[in-house]
């Protein structure tokens, strides 16, 4: 098994593979959508874990590109809590493995009701990819580690590419705009090695503080909210430290009352609209509790993890920093990451099922 850090380093390569093969990969989807494009008025996304977070990280861009309303929900929500179906919506079911039980049930339900649907998985030959209206390949291979690192980013890239294909065919973007967006994705992926180096150095400089933190709170806005949810998930799955991800504004309405010195607050700042509030929150955590860092643009002090986002997709860049942090924490704690992610869950519950029948 490759060390997990080497999977993290494969993120840009897998993203580029999706870009290079996009026309061929998305052809079945384009054919499936051909007669439906004019009536299409909504995109609904249904997934779990990193699959859910990947959509949360690019949903704003998907709306901008397609000019379609985007809804994101978990499979349980879709199946049992949200009961009004839009026959003119395209429902997209991302599941890296294609074996998430409840996502699969939700897909089967959409298919039974004759609702237009797409399964986005890494495996064209298994379960969900065979039970859907049409399948799109994530092209990220079967990651050796169940704590998805490559898959989260490939998930974002593939959803952006799907949105661009829909946008091109509905004339909400031009071929020239598509090229510009592709160049932005490439710029984001190109920034990964640099961010990795800076994150490693930052970790070493602050190792004692990071290791002694009993919990992490990760903050971000817009696409970085999705990256915050995913960052918290990676810290839990890989770094084995309880963590929570918050939308910047939402996480200032109350959660700050629970800040304490053992809680490490990580504020991701893209330097844009909410630059001042992001910096204010990081300063608050540092000055009042002695445990906070700003990640990204316009650092507060030398202890921060400073880098400049290189694209309009910060959610494609910042995850590198938190994935590297999670890996470093796991290394320092001597965590065996090769153990199955939920080795003890089987007698109690099952999130994924590798059988034909559900
Ligand atoms: O994308 P999938 O295969 O549906 O899995 C969803 C989630 O389940 C896990 O594999 C385990 O809970 C997560 O790592 C993943 O994000």
């Amino acid at each position: 098994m490759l060390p997990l850090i080497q999977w993290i380093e494969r993120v840009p390569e897998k993203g580029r593979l999706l870009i290079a093969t996009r026309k061929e990969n998305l052809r079945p989807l384009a054919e499936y959508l051909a007669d439906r494009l004019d009536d299409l008025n909504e995109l609904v996304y249904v997934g779990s874990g990193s699959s859910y977070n990947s959509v949360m990280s690019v949903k704003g861009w998907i709306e901008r590109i397609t000019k379609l309303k985007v809804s994101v929900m978990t499979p349980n929500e879709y199946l049992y809590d949200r009961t009004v179906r839009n026959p003119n919506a395209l429902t997209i079911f991302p599941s890296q493995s294609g074996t998430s039980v409840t996502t699969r049930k939700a897909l089967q339900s959409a298919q039974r009701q004759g609702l237009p649907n797409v399964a986005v998985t890494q495996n064209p030959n298994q379960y969900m990819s065979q039970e859907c209206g049409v399948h799109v390949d994530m092209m990220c291979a079967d990651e050796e580690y169940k704590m998805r690192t490559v898959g989260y980013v490939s998930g974002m890239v593939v959803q952006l590419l799907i949105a661009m294909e829909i946008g091109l065919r509905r004339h909400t973007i031009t071929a020239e705009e598509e090229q510009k967006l592709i160049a932005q994705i490439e710029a984001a992926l190109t920034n990964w090695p640099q961010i990795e180096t800076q994150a490693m150095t930052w970790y070493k400089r602050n190792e004692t503080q990071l290791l002694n933190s009993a919990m992490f709170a990760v903050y971000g806005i817009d696409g970085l909210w999705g990256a915050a949810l995913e960052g918290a998930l990676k810290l839990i799955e890989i770094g084995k430290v309880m963590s929570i991800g918050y939308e910047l504004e939402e996480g200032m309405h109350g959660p700050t009352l629970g800040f304490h010195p053992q809680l490490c607050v990580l504020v991701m700042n893209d330097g844009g609209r909410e630059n001042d509030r992001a910096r204010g929150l990081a300063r608050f955590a540092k000055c009042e509790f002695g445990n906070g860092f700003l990640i990204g643009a316009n650092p507060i002090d030398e202890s921060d993890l400073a880098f400049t986002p290189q694209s309009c997709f910060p959610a494609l860049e910042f995850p590198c920093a938190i994935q590297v942090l999670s890996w470093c924490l796991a290394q320092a704690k001597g965590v065996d990451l090769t153990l199955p992610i939920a080795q003890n869950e089987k007698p109690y519950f099952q999130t994924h099922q590798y059988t034909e029948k559900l």
Side-chain angles (χ1 to χ4, degrees):
M1 243 168 144
L2 290 176
L4 179 69
I5 190 68
Q6 288 187 27
W7 278 93
I8 296 172
E9 287 164 354
R10 294 183 77 182
V11 162
E13 161 202 327
K14 294 293 180 189
R16 288 189 193 109
L17 177 65
L18 272 169
I19 292 173
T21 56
R22 68 188 187 282
K23 293 296 168 190
E24 196 185 320
N25 191 26
L26 298 180
R27 189 168 304 127
L29 172 67
E31 284 164 10
Y32 178 76
L33 285 182
D35 299 338
R36 298 175 165 101
L37 272 180
D38 289 344
D39 295 332
L40 199 62
N41 62 12
E42 186 180 3
L43 298 170
V44 178
Y45 294 83
V46 181
S48 287
S50 300
S51 292
Y52 174 89
N53 294 342
S54 63
V55 180
M56 287 296 286
S57 306
V58 289
K59 62 182 173 8
W61 272 104
I62 294 173
E63 282 201 345
R64 256 166 256 152
I65 293 166
T66 61
K67 307 278 186 290
L68 291 168
K69 175 178 184 283
V70 167
S71 311
V72 192
M73 55 191 88
T74 66
N76 250 336
E77 212 182 335
Y78 177 81
L79 278 168
Y80 309 112
D81 196 35
R82 309 289 292 275
T83 48
V84 179
R85 301 284 180 248
N86 171 5
N88 294 324
L90 176 68
T91 309
I92 303 179
F93 296 87
S95 170
Q96 188 172 350
S97 63
T99 63
S100 266
V101 176
T102 317
T103 308
R104 210 175 142 198
K105 280 186 186 159
L107 170 71
Q108 290 178 352
S109 156
Q111 185 70 338
R112 264 198 313 275
Q113 291 173 70
L115 298 167
N117 67 82
V118 192
V120 182
T121 83
Q122 77 188 0
N123 191 341
N125 304 312
Q126 201 183 33
Y127 310 130
M128 283 177 58
S129 43
Q130 304 291 309
E131 297 163 346
C132 57
V134 66
H135 176 254
V136 171
D137 195 341
M138 289 176 72
M139 301 208 161
C140 55
D142 197 2
E143 282 185 72
E144 288 176 312
Y145 299 88
K146 296 298 168 223
M147 42 290 269
R148 314 311 196 171
T149 51
V150 179
Y152 165 63
V153 182
S154 290
M156 285 190 274
V157 174
V158 78
Q159 297 303 348
L160 286 170
L161 295 174
I162 290 173
M164 284 181 224
E165 200 55 36
I166 293 174
L168 278 174
R169 286 167 193 276
R170 284 174 48 89
H171 307 292
T172 55
I173 59 164
T174 62
E176 198 183 319
E177 285 165 334
E178 184 207 21
Q179 281 313 316
K180 282 189 185 153
L181 290 167
I182 298 277
Q184 289 293 303
I185 298 176
E186 278 165 353
L189 297 173
T190 302
N191 207 11
W192 271 62
Q194 172 78 9
I195 296 176
E196 180 191 341
T197 307
Q198 280 165 266
M200 290 278 187
T201 310
W202 168 75
Y203 174 81
K204 283 192 197 109
R205 228 175 34 230
N206 299 290
E207 183 170 45
T208 310
Q209 185 177 334
L210 291 163
L211 261 181
N212 288 341
S213 295
M215 193 177 169
F216 284 79
V218 192
Y219 282 76
I221 46 152
D222 304 338
L224 288 183
W225 173 24
L229 296 173
E230 174 67 10
L233 179 59
K234 289 298 91 104
L235 284 162
I236 295 169
E237 287 177 324
I238 300 170
K240 309 294 178 203
V241 53
M242 229 29 226
S243 305
I244 189 155
Y246 265 115
E247 198 266 349
L248 183 77
E249 167 78 21
E250 203 44 33
M252 291 195 283
H253 282 267
T256 47
L257 296 175
F259 281 13
H260 55 80
Q262 283 75 47
L263 172 77
C264 182
V265 178
L266 303 176
V267 185
M268 295 188 286
N269 183 26
D270 60 11
R273 194 182 73 241
E274 296 289 351
N275 177 65
D276 292 349
R277 303 191 91 200
R279 295 187 81 241
L281 180 66
R283 264 206 324 275
F284 174 67
K286 279 173 192 285
C287 298
E288 302 295 327
F289 304 97
N291 202 0
F293 296 97
L294 185 137
I295 298 180
N298 305 323
I300 310 291
D301 58 43
E302 290 197 338
S303 74
D304 288 331
L305 170 46
F307 61 87
T308 310
Q310 297 295 311
S311 73
C312 63
F313 300 119
L316 282 177
E317 302 184 47
F318 282 68
C320 178
I322 314 273
Q323 289 186 7
V324 169
L325 166 62
S326 305
W327 155 257
C328 289
L329 289 172
Q331 287 291 101
K333 292 178 183 178
V335 174
D336 181 358
L337 293 169
T338 63
L339 292 174
I341 195 168
Q343 53 186 331
N344 300 328
E345 78 178 35
K346 272 245 162 68
Y348 306 100
F349 61 88
Q350 233 176 320
T351 53
H352 295 69
Q353 199 176 332
Y354 295 84
T355 53
E356 196 79 27
K357 256 187 145 341
L358 273 185

